[in-house]
Every structure is written in structure tokens, then in C-alpha cells.
Coordinates of all heavy atoms in Angstrom, one line a residue:
M8 N 15.3 10.1 -17.3 CA 15.6 9.4 -16.0 C 14.2 8.8 -15.6 O 13.2 9.4 -15.7 CB 16.0 10.4 -14.9 CG 16.4 9.7 -13.6 SD 17.1 10.8 -12.4 CE 18.7 11.2 -13.1
A9 N 14.2 7.5 -15.1 CA 13.0 6.9 -14.7 C 12.6 7.4 -13.3 O 13.3 7.9 -12.5 CB 13.4 5.4 -14.5
A10 N 11.2 7.3 -13.2 CA 10.6 7.8 -11.9 C 11.0 6.9 -10.8 O 11.1 5.6 -11.0 CB 9.1 7.8 -12.1
L11 N 11.3 7.5 -9.6 CA 11.5 6.6 -8.4 C 10.3 5.9 -8.0 O 10.4 4.7 -7.5 CB 12.0 7.5 -7.2 CG 13.3 8.3 -7.4 CD1 13.6 9.1 -6.2 CD2 14.4 7.2 -7.5
L12 N 9.1 6.5 -8.2 CA 7.8 5.9 -7.8 C 6.8 6.2 -8.9 O 6.7 7.3 -9.4 CB 7.3 6.4 -6.5 CG 5.9 6.1 -6.1 CD1 5.8 4.6 -5.7 CD2 5.4 6.9 -5.0
T13 N 6.1 5.1 -9.4 CA 5.0 5.3 -10.3 C 3.8 4.6 -9.8 O 3.9 3.4 -9.5 CB 5.4 4.8 -11.7 OG1 6.6 5.5 -12.1 CG2 4.3 5.0 -12.7
M14 N 2.7 5.2 -9.7 CA 1.4 4.6 -9.4 C 0.5 4.9 -10.6 O 0.3 6.0 -11.0 CB 0.8 5.2 -8.1 CG 1.8 5.0 -6.9 SD 1.1 5.8 -5.4 CE 0.0 4.5 -4.8
R15 N -0.1 3.8 -11.1 CA -1.0 3.9 -12.3 C -2.3 3.2 -12.1 O -2.4 2.0 -11.7 CB -0.3 3.2 -13.5 CG 0.8 4.0 -14.1 CD 0.4 5.2 -14.9 NE 1.5 5.9 -15.3 CZ 1.9 7.0 -14.8 NH1 1.3 7.6 -13.8 NH2 3.0 7.7 -15.3
G16 N -3.4 4.0 -12.2 CA -4.8 3.4 -12.2 C -5.1 2.8 -10.8 O -5.8 1.8 -10.8
I17 N -4.6 3.4 -9.7 CA -4.9 2.8 -8.4 C -6.3 2.9 -8.0 O -6.9 4.0 -8.0 CB -4.0 3.4 -7.3 CG1 -2.5 3.2 -7.7 CG2 -4.3 2.8 -6.0 CD1 -2.0 1.8 -7.8
V18 N -7.0 1.8 -7.7 CA -8.4 1.8 -7.3 C -8.4 1.1 -6.0 O -7.8 0.0 -5.8 CB -9.3 1.1 -8.3 CG1 -10.7 0.9 -7.8 CG2 -9.2 1.8 -9.7
K19 N -9.2 1.6 -5.0 CA -9.4 0.9 -3.7 C -10.9 1.2 -3.3 O -11.3 2.3 -3.3 CB -8.4 1.5 -2.7 CG -8.6 0.8 -1.3 CD -8.3 -0.7 -1.4 CE -8.6 -1.4 0.0 NZ -8.5 -2.8 -0.2
Q20 N -11.6 0.1 -3.1 CA -13.0 0.3 -2.7 C -13.1 -0.4 -1.3 O -12.5 -1.4 -1.0 CB -13.9 -0.5 -3.7 CG -13.8 0.1 -5.0 CD -14.8 -0.6 -6.0 OE1 -15.9 -0.1 -6.2 NE2 -14.4 -1.7 -6.5
F21 N -14.0 0.2 -0.5 CA -14.5 -0.3 0.7 C -16.0 -0.4 0.6 O -16.6 0.2 -0.3 CB -14.1 0.6 1.9 CG -12.6 0.8 2.0 CD1 -12.0 2.0 1.6 CD2 -11.9 -0.2 2.7 CE1 -10.6 2.1 1.7 CE2 -10.5 0.0 2.8 CZ -9.9 1.1 2.3
P22 N -16.7 -1.2 1.5 CA -18.1 -1.3 1.4 C -18.8 0.0 1.4 O -18.6 0.9 2.3 CB -18.5 -2.1 2.7 CG -17.2 -2.9 3.0 CD -16.1 -2.0 2.6
G23 N -19.5 0.3 0.3 CA -20.2 1.5 0.1 C -19.5 2.7 -0.4 O -20.1 3.8 -0.6
V24 N -18.1 2.6 -0.6 CA -17.4 3.8 -1.0 C -16.2 3.4 -1.9 O -15.6 2.4 -1.6 CB -16.9 4.7 0.2 CG1 -15.9 3.9 1.0 CG2 -16.3 6.0 -0.3
R25 N -16.0 4.1 -2.9 CA -14.8 4.0 -3.7 C -13.8 5.0 -3.3 O -13.9 6.2 -3.7 CB -15.2 4.1 -5.2 CG -14.1 3.7 -6.1 CD -14.6 3.6 -7.6 NE -13.6 3.1 -8.4 CZ -13.8 2.1 -9.3 NH1 -15.0 1.6 -9.4 NH2 -12.8 1.7 -10.1
A26 N -12.8 4.7 -2.5 CA -11.9 5.6 -1.9 C -10.9 6.2 -2.9 O -10.5 7.4 -2.8 CB -11.2 5.0 -0.7
L27 N -10.4 5.3 -3.8 CA -9.5 5.7 -4.9 C -10.1 5.3 -6.2 O -10.4 4.1 -6.3 CB -8.1 5.1 -4.6 CG -7.4 5.5 -3.3 CD1 -6.1 4.7 -3.2 CD2 -7.2 6.9 -3.2
D28 N -10.0 6.2 -7.2 CA -10.7 5.9 -8.4 C -9.7 6.2 -9.6 O -9.8 7.3 -10.2 CB -12.0 6.7 -8.6 CG -12.8 6.2 -9.8 OD1 -12.5 5.2 -10.4 OD2 -13.7 7.0 -10.1
G29 N -8.8 5.3 -9.8 CA -7.8 5.5 -11.0 C -6.7 6.5 -10.7 O -6.5 7.4 -11.6
V30 N -6.1 6.5 -9.6 CA -5.1 7.5 -9.2 C -3.8 7.2 -9.9 O -3.4 6.1 -10.0 CB -4.9 7.5 -7.7 CG1 -3.7 8.4 -7.3 CG2 -6.1 7.9 -6.9
D31 N -3.2 8.2 -10.5 CA -1.9 8.1 -11.2 C -1.0 9.1 -10.4 O -1.4 10.2 -10.1 CB -1.9 8.6 -12.6 CG -2.7 7.6 -13.5 OD1 -2.9 6.5 -13.1 OD2 -3.2 8.1 -14.5
L32 N 0.3 8.7 -10.1 CA 1.3 9.5 -9.5 C 2.6 9.1 -9.9 O 2.9 7.9 -10.0 CB 1.1 9.4 -7.9 CG 2.2 10.1 -7.1 CD1 2.0 11.6 -7.2 CD2 2.1 9.6 -5.7
D33 N 3.5 10.1 -10.3 CA 4.9 9.9 -10.6 C 5.7 10.7 -9.7 O 5.4 11.9 -9.5 CB 5.2 10.3 -12.0 CG 4.6 9.4 -13.1 OD1 4.7 8.1 -12.8 OD2 4.1 9.8 -14.0
V34 N 6.8 10.2 -9.1 CA 7.7 10.9 -8.3 C 9.1 10.7 -8.9 O 9.6 9.6 -8.9 CB 7.7 10.5 -6.8 CG1 8.7 11.2 -6.0 CG2 6.3 10.6 -6.2
E35 N 9.6 11.8 -9.4 CA 10.9 11.8 -10.0 C 12.0 12.2 -8.9 O 11.7 12.8 -7.9 CB 11.0 12.9 -11.1 CG 9.9 12.7 -12.2 CD 10.3 11.5 -13.2 OE1 11.4 11.2 -13.2 OE2 9.3 11.0 -13.8
P36 N 13.2 11.8 -9.2 CA 14.3 12.1 -8.3 C 14.4 13.6 -8.0 O 14.3 14.4 -8.9 CB 15.6 11.7 -9.0 CG 15.1 10.6 -9.9 CD 13.7 11.0 -10.4
G37 N 14.5 14.0 -6.7 CA 14.6 15.4 -6.3 C 13.3 16.1 -6.1 O 13.2 17.2 -5.7
E38 N 12.2 15.4 -6.4 CA 10.9 16.1 -6.3 C 10.3 15.9 -4.8 O 10.6 14.9 -4.2 CB 9.8 15.5 -7.2 CG 10.1 15.9 -8.7 CD 9.0 15.3 -9.6 OE1 8.3 14.3 -9.2 OE2 8.8 15.9 -10.7
V39 N 9.5 16.8 -4.4 CA 8.8 16.8 -3.2 C 7.3 16.9 -3.5 O 7.0 17.8 -4.2 CB 9.3 17.9 -2.2 CG1 8.5 17.8 -0.9 CG2 10.8 17.7 -1.9
H40 N 6.5 16.1 -2.9 CA 5.1 16.1 -3.2 C 4.3 16.3 -1.9 O 4.7 15.9 -0.9 CB 4.6 14.8 -3.9 CG 5.1 14.7 -5.3 ND1 4.3 15.0 -6.4 CD2 6.3 14.4 -5.8 CE1 5.0 14.9 -7.5 NE2 6.2 14.5 -7.1
C41 N 3.1 16.9 -2.0 CA 2.2 17.1 -0.9 C 0.8 16.7 -1.3 O 0.4 17.0 -2.4 CB 2.2 18.6 -0.5 SG 1.1 19.0 0.9
L42 N 0.2 15.9 -0.5 CA -1.2 15.4 -0.8 C -2.1 16.4 0.0 O -2.1 16.5 1.2 CB -1.5 14.0 -0.3 CG -0.8 13.0 -1.1 CD1 -1.0 11.6 -0.5 CD2 -1.2 13.0 -2.6
L43 N -3.0 17.0 -0.7 CA -4.0 18.0 -0.2 C -5.4 17.5 -0.6 O -5.6 17.1 -1.8 CB -3.8 19.4 -0.6 CG -2.5 20.1 -0.2 CD1 -2.3 21.4 -0.8 CD2 -2.4 20.2 1.3
G44 N -6.4 17.7 0.2 CA -7.7 17.4 -0.2 C -8.6 17.4 1.0 O -8.2 17.4 2.2
Q45 N -9.9 17.4 0.8 CA -10.9 17.4 1.8 C -11.0 16.1 2.6 O -10.4 15.1 2.1 CB -12.3 17.7 1.2 CG -12.4 19.0 0.5 CD -13.8 19.2 -0.1 OE1 -14.6 18.3 -0.2 NE2 -14.1 20.4 -0.6
N46 N -11.6 16.1 3.7 CA -11.8 14.9 4.5 C -12.5 13.9 3.5 O -13.5 14.2 2.8 CB -12.7 15.1 5.7 CG -12.0 15.9 6.8 OD1 -10.8 16.1 6.7 ND2 -12.8 16.4 7.7
G47 N -12.0 12.6 3.5 CA -12.6 11.6 2.7 C -12.2 11.6 1.3 O -12.7 10.8 0.5
A48 N -11.2 12.4 1.0 CA -10.7 12.5 -0.4 C -9.8 11.3 -0.8 O -9.6 11.1 -2.0 CB -10.0 13.8 -0.7
G49 N -9.3 10.5 0.2 CA -8.5 9.3 -0.2 C -7.0 9.5 0.1 O -6.2 8.7 -0.3
K50 N -6.6 10.6 0.7 CA -5.2 10.8 1.0 C -4.6 9.7 1.8 O -3.5 9.1 1.4 CB -5.0 12.2 1.7 CG -5.6 13.4 1.0 CD -5.5 14.7 1.8 CE -6.2 14.6 3.1 NZ -7.7 14.6 3.0
S51 N -5.2 9.4 2.9 CA -4.6 8.4 3.8 C -4.7 7.0 3.1 O -3.8 6.2 3.3 CB -5.4 8.4 5.1 OG -5.2 9.5 5.9
T52 N -5.7 6.8 2.4 CA -5.9 5.5 1.7 C -4.8 5.3 0.7 O -4.2 4.2 0.5 CB -7.2 5.4 1.0 OG1 -8.3 5.5 2.1 CG2 -7.4 4.0 0.4
L53 N -4.4 6.4 0.0 CA -3.4 6.3 -1.0 C -2.0 6.0 -0.4 O -1.3 5.1 -0.8 CB -3.3 7.6 -1.8 CG -2.2 7.7 -2.9 CD1 -2.5 6.7 -4.0 CD2 -2.1 9.0 -3.5
I54 N -1.7 6.6 0.8 CA -0.5 6.3 1.5 C -0.5 5.0 2.0 O 0.5 4.2 2.0 CB -0.2 7.4 2.6 CG1 -0.1 8.8 1.9 CG2 0.9 7.0 3.4 CD1 1.0 8.9 0.9
K55 N -1.6 4.5 2.5 CA -1.7 3.1 3.0 C -1.5 2.1 1.9 O -0.9 1.0 2.1 CB -3.0 2.9 3.8 CG -3.1 3.6 5.1 CD -4.4 3.5 5.7 CE -4.4 4.3 7.0 NZ -5.7 4.2 7.7
V56 N -2.0 2.3 0.7 CA -1.8 1.5 -0.4 C -0.3 1.5 -0.8 O 0.3 0.4 -1.0 CB -2.6 1.9 -1.6 CG1 -2.2 1.2 -2.9 CG2 -4.1 1.6 -1.4
L57 N 0.3 2.6 -0.8 CA 1.7 2.8 -1.1 C 2.6 2.0 0.0 O 3.6 1.4 -0.4 CB 2.1 4.2 -1.2 CG 3.6 4.5 -1.4 CD1 4.1 3.9 -2.7 CD2 3.8 6.0 -1.4
A58 N 2.2 2.1 1.2 CA 3.0 1.5 2.3 C 2.7 0.0 2.4 O 3.5 -0.7 3.0 CB 2.6 2.2 3.6
G59 N 1.7 -0.5 1.7 CA 1.4 -1.9 1.8 C 0.4 -2.3 2.8 O 0.1 -3.5 3.1
A60 N -0.2 -1.3 3.5 CA -1.2 -1.6 4.6 C -2.5 -2.0 3.9 O -3.3 -2.8 4.5 CB -1.4 -0.4 5.5
H61 N -2.8 -1.5 2.7 CA -4.0 -1.9 1.9 C -3.5 -2.4 0.6 O -2.6 -1.8 0.0 CB -4.9 -0.7 1.7 CG -5.7 -0.2 2.9 ND1 -6.3 -1.0 3.8 CD2 -5.8 1.0 3.4 CE1 -6.9 -0.3 4.8 NE2 -6.5 1.0 4.5
R62 N -4.2 -3.4 0.1 CA -3.9 -3.8 -1.3 C -4.8 -3.1 -2.3 O -6.0 -3.0 -2.0 CB -4.1 -5.3 -1.5 CG -3.0 -6.1 -0.8 CD -3.0 -7.5 -1.3 NE -1.9 -8.2 -0.8 CZ -1.8 -9.5 -0.8 NH1 -2.7 -10.3 -1.1 NH2 -0.7 -10.0 -0.3
P63 N -4.3 -2.6 -3.3 CA -5.2 -1.9 -4.3 C -6.1 -3.0 -5.0 O -5.7 -4.1 -5.2 CB -4.3 -1.3 -5.3 CG -3.0 -2.0 -5.2 CD -2.9 -2.5 -3.8
D64 N -7.3 -2.5 -5.3 CA -8.2 -3.4 -6.0 C -7.8 -3.5 -7.5 O -8.1 -4.5 -8.2 CB -9.7 -3.0 -5.9 CG -10.1 -3.1 -4.4 OD1 -9.7 -4.0 -3.7 OD2 -10.8 -2.2 -4.0
A65 N -7.2 -2.5 -8.0 CA -6.7 -2.4 -9.4 C -5.6 -1.4 -9.5 O -5.4 -0.6 -8.6 CB -7.8 -2.0 -10.3
G66 N -4.7 -1.5 -10.5 CA -3.6 -0.6 -10.7 C -2.3 -1.3 -10.4 O -2.2 -2.4 -10.1
E67 N -1.2 -0.4 -10.7 CA 0.1 -1.0 -10.6 C 1.0 0.1 -9.9 O 0.9 1.3 -10.1 CB 0.6 -1.2 -12.0 CG 2.1 -1.7 -12.0 CD 2.5 -1.9 -13.4 OE1 2.5 -1.0 -14.3 OE2 2.9 -3.1 -13.7
I68 N 1.9 -0.4 -9.1 CA 2.9 0.4 -8.3 C 4.2 -0.1 -8.7 O 4.5 -1.3 -8.6 CB 2.7 0.4 -6.8 CG1 1.3 0.8 -6.4 CG2 3.8 1.2 -6.1 CD1 1.0 0.6 -5.0
T69 N 5.1 0.8 -9.2 CA 6.5 0.4 -9.4 C 7.5 1.4 -8.7 O 7.2 2.6 -8.6 CB 6.8 0.4 -10.9 OG1 6.6 1.7 -11.5 CG2 6.0 -0.7 -11.6
T70 N 8.6 0.9 -8.2 CA 9.7 1.7 -7.7 C 10.9 1.4 -8.5 O 11.3 0.2 -8.7 CB 9.8 1.4 -6.2 OG1 10.1 0.0 -6.1 CG2 8.6 1.7 -5.4
D71 N 11.5 2.4 -8.9 CA 12.7 2.3 -9.8 C 12.5 1.4 -11.0 O 13.3 0.6 -11.4 CB 13.9 1.8 -9.0 CG 14.5 2.9 -8.1 OD1 14.4 4.1 -8.4 OD2 15.0 2.5 -7.1
G72 N 11.2 1.4 -11.5 CA 10.9 0.6 -12.7 C 10.5 -0.8 -12.4 O 10.3 -1.6 -13.3
R73 N 10.5 -1.3 -11.1 CA 10.2 -2.6 -10.7 C 9.0 -2.7 -9.9 O 8.9 -1.8 -9.0 CB 11.4 -3.3 -10.0 CG 12.7 -3.3 -10.8 CD 13.8 -3.9 -10.0 NE 14.0 -3.0 -8.9 CZ 15.2 -2.6 -8.4 NH1 16.3 -3.1 -9.0 NH2 15.3 -1.8 -7.4
S74 N 8.3 -3.8 -10.0 CA 7.1 -4.0 -9.1 C 7.7 -4.5 -7.7 O 8.6 -5.3 -7.7 CB 6.2 -5.1 -9.6 OG 5.6 -4.6 -10.8
P75 N 7.1 -4.1 -6.7 CA 7.5 -4.6 -5.4 C 7.3 -6.0 -5.3 O 6.3 -6.5 -5.8 CB 6.6 -3.8 -4.4 CG 6.0 -2.8 -5.1 CD 6.0 -3.1 -6.5
S76 N 8.2 -6.8 -4.6 CA 8.0 -8.2 -4.5 C 7.1 -8.5 -3.3 O 7.0 -7.8 -2.3 CB 9.4 -8.9 -4.2 OG 10.0 -8.3 -3.1
P77 N 6.3 -9.6 -3.5 CA 5.4 -10.0 -2.4 C 6.2 -10.6 -1.2 O 7.4 -10.8 -1.3 CB 4.6 -11.1 -3.0 CG 5.5 -11.7 -4.1 CD 6.3 -10.5 -4.6
P78 N 5.6 -10.7 -0.1 CA 6.3 -11.3 1.1 C 6.9 -12.6 0.7 O 6.3 -13.4 0.0 CB 5.2 -11.5 2.2 CG 4.0 -10.6 1.7 CD 4.2 -10.4 0.2
R79 N 8.1 -12.9 1.2 CA 8.8 -14.2 0.9 C 8.2 -15.3 1.6 O 8.4 -16.5 1.2 CB 10.3 -14.0 1.3 CG 10.9 -13.0 0.4 CD 12.4 -12.9 0.7 NE 12.9 -11.6 0.4 CZ 13.8 -10.9 1.0 NH1 14.4 -11.4 2.1 NH2 14.2 -9.7 0.6
R80 N 7.7 -15.2 2.8 CA 7.2 -16.3 3.6 C 6.0 -15.9 4.5 O 5.9 -14.7 4.8 CB 8.3 -16.9 4.5 CG 8.9 -15.9 5.4 CD 10.1 -16.5 6.2 NE 10.6 -15.5 7.1 CZ 11.5 -14.6 6.8 NH1 12.0 -14.5 5.6 NH2 12.0 -13.8 7.7
P81 N 5.2 -16.8 4.9 CA 4.1 -16.4 5.8 C 4.6 -16.1 7.2 O 5.8 -16.4 7.5 CB 3.2 -17.7 5.8 CG 4.2 -18.8 5.4 CD 5.2 -18.2 4.5
P82 N 3.8 -15.5 8.0 CA 4.2 -15.2 9.3 C 4.7 -16.4 10.1 O 4.2 -17.5 9.9 CB 3.0 -14.6 10.0 CG 1.9 -14.7 9.1 CD 2.4 -15.2 7.8
T83 N 5.7 -16.3 10.9 CA 6.3 -17.4 11.6 C 5.5 -17.8 12.9 O 5.6 -18.9 13.4 CB 7.7 -17.2 12.0 OG1 7.8 -16.0 12.7 CG2 8.6 -17.0 10.7
R84 N 4.8 -16.8 13.4 CA 4.0 -17.1 14.6 C 2.6 -16.7 14.5 O 2.3 -15.6 13.8 CB 4.6 -16.3 15.8 CG 6.0 -16.8 16.1 CD 6.6 -16.0 17.3 NE 5.9 -16.2 18.5 CZ 6.1 -15.6 19.6 NH1 7.0 -14.6 19.7 NH2 5.5 -15.9 20.8
R85 N 1.7 -17.4 15.1 CA 0.3 -17.0 15.1 C -0.2 -17.0 16.5 O 0.2 -17.9 17.3 CB -0.5 -17.9 14.2 CG -0.2 -17.8 12.8 CD -1.3 -18.6 11.9 NE -1.0 -18.4 10.5 CZ -1.5 -17.6 9.7 NH1 -2.5 -16.8 10.1 NH2 -1.2 -17.6 8.4
A86 N -1.1 -16.2 16.8 CA -1.7 -16.1 18.2 C -2.6 -17.3 18.3 O -3.3 -17.7 17.4 CB -2.4 -14.8 18.4
S87 N -2.7 -17.9 19.5 CA -3.6 -18.9 19.7 C -5.0 -18.2 19.9 O -5.1 -17.1 20.2 CB -3.3 -19.7 21.0 OG -3.5 -18.9 22.1
P88 N -6.1 -19.0 19.7 CA -7.4 -18.4 19.7 C -7.7 -17.8 21.1 O -8.5 -16.9 21.2 CB -8.4 -19.6 19.5 CG -7.5 -20.6 18.8 CD -6.1 -20.4 19.2
R89 N -7.1 -18.3 22.1 CA -7.3 -17.8 23.5 C -6.4 -16.6 23.9 O -6.6 -16.0 24.9 CB -7.1 -18.9 24.5 CG -8.2 -20.0 24.3 CD -8.0 -21.1 25.3 NE -8.9 -22.1 25.0 CZ -9.1 -23.1 25.8 NH1 -8.5 -23.2 26.9 NH2 -9.9 -24.1 25.4
S90 N -5.4 -16.4 23.0 CA -4.5 -15.3 23.3 C -5.1 -13.9 23.1 O -5.9 -13.7 22.2 CB -3.2 -15.4 22.5 OG -2.4 -14.3 22.6
T91 N -4.7 -12.9 23.9 CA -5.1 -11.5 23.6 C -4.2 -10.8 22.7 O -4.5 -9.7 22.3 CB -5.2 -10.8 24.9 OG1 -3.9 -10.8 25.6 CG2 -6.2 -11.4 25.9
R92 N -3.1 -11.4 22.3 CA -2.1 -10.8 21.4 C -2.5 -11.1 20.0 O -3.1 -12.1 19.7 CB -0.7 -11.3 21.6 CG -0.1 -11.0 22.9 CD 1.3 -11.5 23.0 NE 1.8 -11.3 24.3 CZ 3.1 -11.7 24.6 NH1 3.8 -12.4 23.8 NH2 3.5 -11.4 25.8
S93 N -2.1 -10.2 19.1 CA -2.3 -10.4 17.7 C -1.0 -10.2 17.0 O -0.1 -9.4 17.4 CB -3.3 -9.4 17.1 OG -2.9 -8.1 17.2
W94 N -0.7 -11.0 15.9 CA 0.5 -11.0 15.2 C 0.3 -10.4 13.8 O -0.7 -10.6 13.2 CB 1.1 -12.4 15.1 CG 1.3 -13.0 16.4 CD1 0.5 -13.9 17.0 CD2 2.4 -12.8 17.3 NE1 1.0 -14.2 18.3 CE2 2.2 -13.5 18.5 CE3 3.5 -12.0 17.2 CZ2 3.0 -13.6 19.5 CZ3 4.4 -12.0 18.3 CH2 4.1 -12.8 19.5
T95 N 1.2 -9.5 13.4 CA 1.1 -8.9 12.1 C 2.1 -9.5 11.1 O 3.1 -10.1 11.5 CB 1.3 -7.4 12.2 OG1 2.6 -7.1 12.8 CG2 0.3 -6.7 13.1
W96 N 1.8 -9.2 9.8 CA 2.7 -9.6 8.8 C 4.0 -8.7 8.8 O 3.8 -7.5 9.0 CB 2.1 -9.4 7.4 CG 1.1 -10.4 7.1 CD1 -0.3 -10.5 7.5 CD2 1.3 -11.7 6.4 NE1 -0.9 -11.6 7.1 CE2 0.0 -12.3 6.4 CE3 2.3 -12.3 5.8 CZ2 -0.1 -13.5 5.8 CZ3 2.2 -13.5 5.2 CH2 0.9 -14.1 5.2
C97 N 5.1 -9.2 8.7 CA 6.3 -8.5 8.6 C 7.1 -8.8 7.4 O 7.1 -10.0 7.1 CB 7.2 -8.8 9.8 SG 6.5 -8.2 11.4
R98 N 7.5 -7.9 6.7 CA 8.3 -8.1 5.5 C 9.8 -7.9 5.8 O 10.2 -6.9 6.3 CB 7.9 -7.2 4.3 CG 6.4 -7.5 3.9 CD 6.1 -6.6 2.8 NE 4.7 -6.9 2.5 CZ 4.0 -6.3 1.6 NH1 4.5 -5.4 0.9 NH2 2.7 -6.6 1.4
A99 N 10.6 -8.9 5.5 CA 12.0 -8.8 5.7 C 12.7 -8.3 4.5 O 12.4 -8.4 3.4 CB 12.6 -10.2 6.1

């Protein structure tokens, strides 16, 4: 049976720190996983990469054997330079 989620060689760097260095993860149907580690170990960064909040600098993520599709269209609204509101990317 194929893994529901596969992450291979995930790398994420920020200025001065390599938060993720070649992370591999497989989640099979029926499995439950827990991320444990010290402060700064990359737990939150890994979840943010998985959720799409951060783009990995290297590596591949597949769900049910397929790569997630990129956003279909750019945001429909943008804040004016004088506005105090900010608009975020939404995937439909």
C-alpha cells in the first residue's frame, strides 16, 4: 500500500540557520506520528513546510503518490499601499 504522505530530503534554510537538513518522513494509512525534539530542532518548520506556509529549499512532498498542485491563480485582491490590511494567498 502506498504511503498517504511522503517527504523526502526536505531542506529549509533561514538566514544563519539550516532548520531542516534532509528530512524524510513516511505516513502510512492508520499510523499516528508525534514530533518530539528540543527547542530549535525544526518541528514547527517541518509542519509549516507540510502545510504550505514555507516552501522547502530542496526535497519532495507527495500525498497519495502525487505532488501537491501549485495555486491555480494569483490572489484576487491586494491591499493598497495606504491600507492597514494585508491579504494572504488562499488555495481553493
Side-chain angles (χ1 to χ4, degrees):
M8 187 177 289
L11 293 177
L12 169 70
T13 301
M14 301 177 83
R15 289 282 177 259
I17 303 297
V18 173
K19 180 65 184 171
Q20 298 183 98
F21 298 103
V24 66
R25 190 170 186 133
L27 301 174
D28 189 13
V30 175
D31 293 335
L32 174 68
D33 290 316
V34 178
E35 301 286 338
E38 290 184 336
V39 176
H40 291 258
C41 177
L42 292 175
L43 297 174
Q45 297 179 349
N46 290 345
K50 302 174 300 290
S51 295
T52 303
L53 182 64
I54 296 303
K55 288 176 183 177
V56 166
L57 177 60
H61 291 313
R62 285 196 174 161
D64 297 321
E67 180 180 55
I68 301 171
T69 58
T70 55
D71 287 330
R73 297 176 299 222
S74 295
S76 57
R79 293 183 204 144
R80 60 185 179 274
T83 56
R84 297 177 69 186
R85 291 190 183 259
S87 71
R89 295 180 186 190
S90 173
T91 58
R92 294 182 181 177
S93 63
W94 303 97
T95 58
W96 287 84
C97 295
R98 295 181 185 180

